[in-house]
Structure formats: structure tokens, C-alpha cells
Amino acid sequence: MTSGEASVRQRTGPRPLGLHLGLAQATLASSLAALVPVREGHFPWMADLAEDADRLRQDMAGFAVEDLLTEIGQHGHQQIGGMLRGIQKYHAHPYRRTERDVPVLWSEGGSRLLDYGTEDQPDTGPVALIIPSLINRSYILDLFPGRSFVDALAAQGIRPLLMDWGEVTDVERDYGLDEYVLNKLEPAAEAVFEACPSAPVHLVGYCMGGTLAMALATRMQARFASFVALAAPWNFHEGLSQAGRLFLGERQVWERVLGAFGELPVDMLQAFFASLDPSVVLQKFSLFDRMDPDSLRAQEFVALEDWLNDGVPLAAKVAEQCFREWYGSNLPYGGAWRIGGKIVSPEILEIPSMIAVPKSDKIVPPGSALGLAGQIPGARIIYPPSGHIGMVASRHAQDGLWRDVIRWVTQ
């Protein structure tokens, strides 16, 4: 696909489709299986749900078990039917994203630094060097007109420079986390400083990009005006679901996959995210089934779903390090993660720092992101009233996170 052409690829998501269909059926089956233990007070609820569980049990006491089973079964089948219809409507939806022709400030291998600045911006105006996650496309920050974080920054006189990691090419095939920081982020930052010698440069990292940006900040902090982390995981043992732990514990499985493919395939990454919230596809596609397909809300849903299904494989060494060093040994939070032989220590950061912790984040649990805030002296914490993706791309983002970042960078 050339620049400026609309994507016409046939949709096959949500990926991996078979897994999501199986999870939907399992959700229904588990609800039916839990009915009697819940009604009789034998279900092992978490402590913070005890009051809600008591009210639910009291409500259920007025109905026969047979009637409850029938009602739950009918409701579950209705939801699954709605999910299937929603998926079909998603596949057939006419929206397709059009690529923008954005100037490239720097490139290396499959990666490019995209310059979203405007021609009339003064040379001394603030610059935002934005580092997204390695495992998703950078265009979540430029989704479509009206849902573009970078356009919102540019409209306020900020020059957004967005790292587009691109595909894993032969250059990145053997890269680990060290190489991504030392061979990509540091040279890209140098290119920014050279191109903007009189401008304050603010380092902004989103999700996994925030974790990598933290490493860059500790190595080059004297040259940055500030550091901003948007839902960046740091304490990798905090808030991880039991399903997520089980997935990450299948060490032999992912080691064999990495050995066979030389990378971590997108569908395996998607399976991990599905383990964090197994019912999300059932819920959201049932909701999409009830949307007006011509509405802006439906377009937003389709655009986000296209992005979610347009993931990028992770280089084998990076995937192994993430599993072992981050989720396994929790080296960043434990003060033992090294890049280029030096420990990445947030405690040494002296530049102003702001940490965004979305209140309803299912991908990076709030406690994980707060782990970074707790280690940076004097860090400001903000709590966007949305989720991991919604805070940067939803219709509410402009009055939430976008506004907070713009104020931070321009103050």
C-alpha cells in the first residue's frame, strides 16, 4: 500500500478469532457452573466484592435454580449471538483508514521518526518526542481526524515527533531491549536535538514505549525538558491476573514458538492480552451489534479494532527479555534492569516528570504504572478517567489526557 491510499485488506479479526469464540462459550459455561455455589454462598469472592456478593445472593434466593439456569442460558446465548453479528458487521463496515504522507526526520532499519510539526511553528517552540509501544502500530496516536493526539499537540504549537517502529527487518532480527534503546532511541533523540537546537524537548512514552523511554531518560536526562509516561508498566508483578500469570508461566511453549518463528507472532501476543480480560470481545462486539453503523461512534470502534488487529511481531530476543526480565523477575521495579550495562534507575531523574495512570486500565494495571511514579522523585501523577487506549484515542481524550499533556508541555 502506497502513502495516501486507503487500506482495502479484508478484515479477519478480532485476532485470534477462534480463541475469542472459545472464550465466549467458556464465559457462558462458567456462569452456569457458578450459579449454585453463588446462590448457596459457597463461591470464593474476592474480599472487596463481599457486599455486592451478599446482595446478589439475596436477590437470587427468590428464584428457583431451574429458572435462573434458564435465564442465564438465554441471556448468554443472546450475548454470543450479538457478538457474532457484531463481528460480521465489523468485517463488512466500509470505513478504511487512509495513510498520511508525513515527513521523516530520522530512520534506521524498519523504524522512522515521523514529524507532525506545522510549518509555522517557531524554532524555539516545545517539541514532544513520543515513543509508543513496540507491539502496536504508532498510528493509535494519529487514528483519524478528530482522534489524533499528535494533531492536537501540533494545534497548540507543539512539534510532535512520533517514533514509528515499523516491522522487524533484518536489522532488528537479533535486537534486544539494549539495541532498541542504544541503536534506535538514542540516535533518534540525537537527531531531534540537532534539528531543534533551541527548543525544549519533552520525552513522552506510551505503554511499553514509556518503559523504554524511562531508560532513555536516565541516560540523557540533561538534554530533555521533562519526562512523561502514559500508562507505562513498571511493577510487572502488580495487578497481573491469574490467567495472565498462567500464560506467562508456559515457558516451554513460548520458548518453542520463539525458536521456531524467530519472533513472537501477533496472534500469540493477542492471546496474552485476551488472558488479561477474557470477556472483553464478547462485551464489545455485542455492543457494536447495537450501534448505528453510520455513526461516528461506530467509525471509532472500527478504527480502534483495525488498529488492535494490525499488530507487529516482537523480535525473539525482546520477547524473551520481556517475559524473563520484566514479567518474570520484575527487574525494572526491583532496580536491577540494565541497559548498556547501566541500571535504569528512576530515582536519579531530576527533570520534571508526569505519570498518567488510567483509572480503568486492563492492559497496564494502575499499580504497575504507579510503581514508576513512586520511584521518581517529585513525580506528578494524573488519573485519566478512561482506559489504556481510550485515554489517547477516544472522543473523551481531548478533555482529559490531551489537555493535561498540552498544559504540561506548554507551561
Side-chain angles (χ1 to χ4, degrees), residues 178 215 218-220 336-345 348:
D178 282 61
T218 59
R219 298 177 65 85
M220 305 180 74
W337 180 38
R338 295 176 181 270
I339 291 292
K342 296 176 60 176
I343 290 178
V344 179
S345 178
I348 71 170

Side-chain angles (χ1 to χ4, degrees), residues 11-35:
R11 297 184 175 107
T12 58
R15 299 174 63 181
L17 183 56
L19 172 64
H20 289 300
L21 295 176
L23 287 173
Q25 293 287 352
T27 298
L28 172 58
S30 64
S31 297
L32 292 170
L35 173 62

Side-chain angles (χ1 to χ4, degrees), residues 32-348:
L32 292 170
L35 173 62
V36 173
V38 168
R39 188 173 184 271
E40 297 181 356
H42 302 313
F43 191 82
W45 295 98
M46 292 185 293
D48 58 346
L49 295 177
E51 292 185 9
D52 292 334
D54 285 339
R55 285 194 293 269
L56 177 62
R57 187 166 58 251
Q58 291 171 13
D59 291 341
M60 294 173 67
F63 299 90
V65 172
E66 294 79 5
D67 294 338
L68 290 171
L69 285 170
T70 299
E71 187 66 25
I72 292 173
Q74 290 177 346
H75 178 72
H77 285 299
Q78 287 173 357
Q79 272 205 303
I80 291 174
M83 179 189 76
L84 294 174
R85 290 190 300 272
I87 290 173
Q88 290 175 325
K89 290 178 181 179
Y90 163 63
H91 287 175
H93 199 278
Y95 170 80
R96 293 294 188 276
R97 182 176 184 271
T98 299
E99 296 288 330
R100 294 173 65 175
D101 190 7
V102 183
V104 176
L105 182 67
W106 168 93
S107 65
E108 192 264 351
S111 304
R112 305 173 301 161
L113 190 61
L114 304 178
D115 187 352
Y116 285 87
T118 58
E119 294 181 358
D120 58 351
Q121 183 181 11
D123 293 339
T124 56
V127 173
L129 172 56
I130 307 171
I131 314 300
S133 175
L134 278 173
I135 58 177
N136 291 112
R137 304 285 181 180
S138 63
Y139 67 79
I140 186 59
L141 303 175
D142 181 33
L143 196 61
F144 61 82
R147 298 286 188 273
S148 174
F149 177 51
V150 290
D151 280 353
L153 296 180
Q156 298 300 317
I158 302 165
R159 185 177 180 182
L161 302 173
L162 176 62
M163 176 63 79
D164 176 23
W165 294 111
E167 302 283 352
V168 174
T169 68
D170 289 341
V171 172
E172 295 89 5
R173 188 70 56 195
D174 297 322
Y175 269 23
L177 295 171
D178 282 61
E179 286 79 13
Y180 271 99
V181 174
L182 302 178
N183 297 358
K184 287 186 179 286
L185 290 185
E186 286 195 2
E190 289 289 356
V192 174
F193 297 135
E194 182 178 348
C196 313
S198 304
V201 178
H202 301 262
L203 179 60
V204 182
Y206 174 42
C207 188
M208 178 187 184
T211 311
L212 297 176
M214 182 74 257
L216 180 65
T218 59
R219 298 177 65 85
M220 305 180 74
Q221 67 167 311
R223 304 178 71 180
F224 287 111
S226 78
F227 171 72
V228 179
L230 311 177
W234 193 254
N235 182 353
F236 288 84
H237 287 178
E238 180 64 33
L240 185 62
S241 68
Q242 182 62 28
R245 293 179 188 276
L246 289 173
F247 181 94
L248 292 165
E250 295 292 337
R251 178 173 170 178
Q252 290 186 340
V253 173
W254 53 258
E255 282 184 343
R256 288 174 180 171
V257 170
L258 295 178
F261 291 95
E263 61 186 21
L264 190 66
V266 172
D267 281 346
M268 193 167 184
L269 284 167
Q270 295 289 65
F272 169 64
F273 289 122
S275 74
L276 303 180
D277 191 0
S279 64
V280 66
V281 167
L282 173 63
Q283 294 169 358
K284 69 180 181 179
F285 277 95
S286 298
L287 177 61
F288 183 63
D289 176 48
R290 302 191 296 273
M291 288 185 196
D292 176 1
D294 297 326
S295 67
L296 182 60
R297 187 182 181 197
Q299 179 181 319
E300 176 186 291
F301 179 97
V302 172
L304 285 172
E305 197 62 29
D306 283 351
W307 172 78
L308 284 169
N309 291 299
D310 189 21
V312 183
L314 205 55
K317 187 176 178 181
V318 171
E320 183 179 1
Q321 287 179 301
C322 289
F323 287 155
R324 290 180 186 275
E325 299 180 9
W326 287 4
Y327 285 100
S329 300
N330 204 13
L331 296 188
Y333 186 68
W337 180 38
R338 295 176 181 270
I339 291 292
K342 296 176 60 176
I343 290 178
V344 179
S345 178
E347 290 87 353
I348 71 170

